[in-house]
Each structure stands twice: as structure tokens, then as C-alpha cells.
Amino acid sequence: MLRDLWKAGGIRKKLIIYYLIVTVLMGMTSFYSYYNAKVAIEKLKSIFVDYVYLNNLNSDVNMLETEVERYLATKSSDALLNYYSLYNKLENKASDILSQNYYDTDSLMLKDIANMINKLLEEADAAVNAKRGRITSEYIDHFTKSIKISDYIKFYMTNLLNNKLQEGSAKYASITKNMEYLSYLNIFLILISIGFSIFLAFLFTYKITKPIIDLSHLAVRVSKGDFEVRPIELKTNDEIKVLSEAFNKMVVNIKKYIGEIKKQAEMERKLKEQEMQNLKMKNILKEAELKALQSQINPHFLFNTLNAAAQLAMMEGAEKSAEFIENVANLFRYNLKKLDSTVTLKDEIENVKRYIYILKTRFGDKIDFKLDVEEEVLDLEMPCMILQPVVENAFIHGLEDVERDGLIVLKAYKEGEKVLVEIADNGVGMEQEKIKAILALDSPDVDKKHVTGIGMHNIIHRLLVFYDISSVEDIVEIKSEIGKGTKVTLKIPDKKGERNYGQVVNS
């Protein structure tokens, strides 16, 4: 294949020769510059890595000393947690240092620092344990020893940092000198490459483009509708001559069919644009509705609940903490695993209980919950994640900011052909304009910033699709009074809903 390319005449051979020369020349120059820059960067990087590492190590030792002193003075739980975090961090660093197999002067000094860090951790831990055991004389003695060890560490660290700084200064001076020489050499090579490339560019460009320019001038006139151009005659012996002869023949034919081709091309373009627009619109609508109907876990709520679990674990035994965490896990598991299936009213109520348990654990007696459900309605089938978001709305938007004790009441009973589920609170209530906005499905849903991310619009929409109901009033009713509370009543038909549930999941 290479032999064929070399034997090829005309423009191809000219372009191959030009691009090969320019590419090789620029490639060699670029590679040489890149290699020199990379070597310089690696050398500079090695200067700062050890220095930054030692500074961080010194900072960790100072912070450990500060947190131990703060805990001994105030017995703060925050100081204790920070101490344990720094303890583990320094212990790992010391272990890494001691595991290295380097035995030069700086490495031996660093190993001495690691051994002193281990001793510092022993004394600091002994001081903390003595303080927790209220043994005053022991924790003062251990703390005093830890201060002395810390001073030794700082002394060694200062000496080691000075050594690294002197070594780095020498390396930097050497690198600077080499870079200055290399920069002049790179500039020289670049100038030579640019000059030679410019010369080749002008040479090849003129020989290749002159006949093309002549042909293009005629082509421009033809493109503007001037088909009365004179036939072009070129003296080149390459592809341009073949192209010019074909051009002369094509001008005659184009004049005949140009009008028809333009119309057809314009029609095809418009059809393709319309088709692409329709496809984009369908994808946008599908994605928007899917996001609106799927529930998501709010990481902020997860953080709050797990943080509460951690606080319980520190303040009391493991049983209550385990129960709390288990309820959190069950709540999230219910949210995630049953989005594509129907559930019973009993399942929804159990999920509400888990959520209420989490609220009561976090807020104590501030929240009270009452449940009044008829036994015969527990087997009612319904979409997943309907009741818990409503209860959550009652707490977040109704009770979270009130100073008095909050109460949430959930009732479920059968009335005619429907099962009524009432969720009421004694919170701040809301205005009628907001109720109308919630019930108007075409308005923005503002009630989504909570655990599941599921707002009232989502709940209403899924119930309408699930039970094949067109009117919002037939599925939900909201009553509220400012300062007294809000009651949401879900009017759930007592019938199966599997046939329409696929529309909820897939829409």
C-alpha cells in the first residue's frame, strides 16, 4: 500500500510529502520540549512532596496536642471525637513510616519521629483514659509527658524540614539552570521548525491551490446561478485537470436540474428537522415524567437520621440504637424495593410507623402520633409510597417550626365504595391559595424537599392513574385553618388497581 501511495501522482503525492515532512519535524520538536518539561516538573514535584508531608505531619501532632488539652480542660465530646480521629491518623502515618526500607540520614530521623509519635499517642491516650476515670494526678502526669514528647517531635521535625529545604534549594538551583539552557534550545528548535514549515507551506500551497483557486472562482459563479461561464482549461497533469473537465460537463447538467434539486433538498431538510424535534420532545417528556414519579432518598435526611443513631450509640446501650437503625433501614428499603409493585394499606401504615418512630427518636415528646384504622380496610391494594410522604408533609410544613407539642392523627375507614384515609395535624395550617396550587396539577410542586422527594402532585397523579380517575376532587380533599392545622383526606376506591399501575411506573 505504501508503494502505491508513493507511486501515486498529482496532489496526493505532493500532500503526502508535505505532511510527512512537517509532521515529523513538529513532532520531534514537540516531543523534545515535552520530555524536557516533564523531567523538570518531576524534579520540582519531588522537592515539595516531602516538605508538604512533613508540614502535614507536624500539623497533625499540634492538633492532637490541642484536642487532648481541650478534652482534659472541658471534657468535651467533640474534642474526644477529634482526638480519636487524629490518633488513628497519626498511628497509620507512623506505621507507614516504620515500614519503609530506607536508611539514609533523613529516613532514620523520620523513623525516630515515628517512634516518638507512637510514644506520644501512648501518653496522650493514658491521659485521656485517666481523665475519663477522674484520676487527676495520673492524667496531669501523662499529659506533661506527652507535651515533652511533642516538643521533641517538633525539634526533630524542624531539623528535618531544614534539611529538606536545603536539599530542595540545591535541586531547584540546578533545575533552574538546566531549564534556562533548555528554554533557549527549545526556542531555537521551534523557530527553525516554524520557518521551515512556513517555507514548505508557501511552496506546496502555491503549486496545489492555484489551479484549485481558478476552478473555485468559476464554481462560485455557478453557485450564484451564473451558468454562462466559459469552460475552464488547465495545464496541470494531476487530478485538478480531471476535475475541471468534469466541472465543465456538470455545469450543463446542473443548470437543468438545479431547481428541482433545491426544492427536494429543502423539503427533506424540513422533514428531518421536524422528526428530530418530535423525537427530542418525546424523550424530554418521558424523562421529566419519570423523574416526577420516581421517589428518591434525600441524602440530608439520611445524614440526620444516621447522626442521631450515632449520638444514641454514644449516650446509651446498643439495643435502642439497633432498633432505631433497623427502622431507618426498613424505611429506606421500603422506599427503594417496592416502587414498581402494589402494596396494601397495612404495608403503608407500617411504613408510616417506622417514619414516626424515627421522628420521635429525633424530636422526643415534641411529636405525638395517633392511629385509628378499621381492620377490614388493611388489605386494600394501593400504589407504594402514598401515606408516608403525606405524613412527612404534615410534620415538615405543619409542625416542624411550631413551639407547642405536635400531633399527627391517621384514620382509615370505609365509607360506601371508598376507603377514606385521613391524615390530620395541629400545625400552622395553610392558606386556600396554597391548597388550590397543590390540587392544580399543572402548577409547580413545591413540597418535595423531604425524605422521599415525593410531593403532593406526585401522590395525586399516581392515584389518578392507578385508579383511572380523571377528577382530583374524587381522589383527594384538603382542609386547613391557619394556626389550627391541616387535614388531608385520600378517597381510595375499594377495588383492584393492577391494570393501571404499569402506567404509573412507566410514565
Side-chain angles (χ1 to χ4, degrees), residues 15 65 127 172 212 241 257 260 359 379 389 401 405 423 465:
L15 291 176
E65 182 180 340
Y172 181 77
I212 297 178
K241 184 176 182 180
Y257 299 110
E260 183 179 351
L359 289 182
D379 293 330
D401 297 327
D405 292 340
I423 299 173
V465 177

Side-chain angles (χ1 to χ4, degrees), residues 119-157:
K119 187 62 180 176
L120 171 65
L121 295 178
E122 291 179 8
E123 294 297 335
D125 200 47
V128 171
N129 290 332
K131 177 65 177 180
R132 297 180 73 178
R134 299 183 180 180
I135 307 175
T136 305
S137 59
E138 285 191 18
Y139 83 71
I140 293 176
D141 181 59
H142 288 298
F143 179 68
T144 303
K145 291 180 180 180
S146 69
I147 293 297
K148 291 181 179 179
I149 297 172
S150 177
D151 292 337
Y152 282 120
I153 293 173
K154 294 174 184 177
F155 175 75
Y156 272 69
M157 200 83 71

Side-chain angles (χ1 to χ4, degrees), residues 387 390-391 394 408-410 421-425 486-489:
L387 300 187
V390 180
V391 174
I408 297 177
V409 180
L410 191 155
V421 180
E422 298 177 355
I423 299 173
D425 64 78
T486 302
K487 181 172 73 172
V488 177
T489 303

Side-chain angles (χ1 to χ4, degrees), residues 97 210 431 481 498:
I97 293 171
K210 187 179 183 306
E431 299 176 350
E481 188 174 352
E498 298 89 332

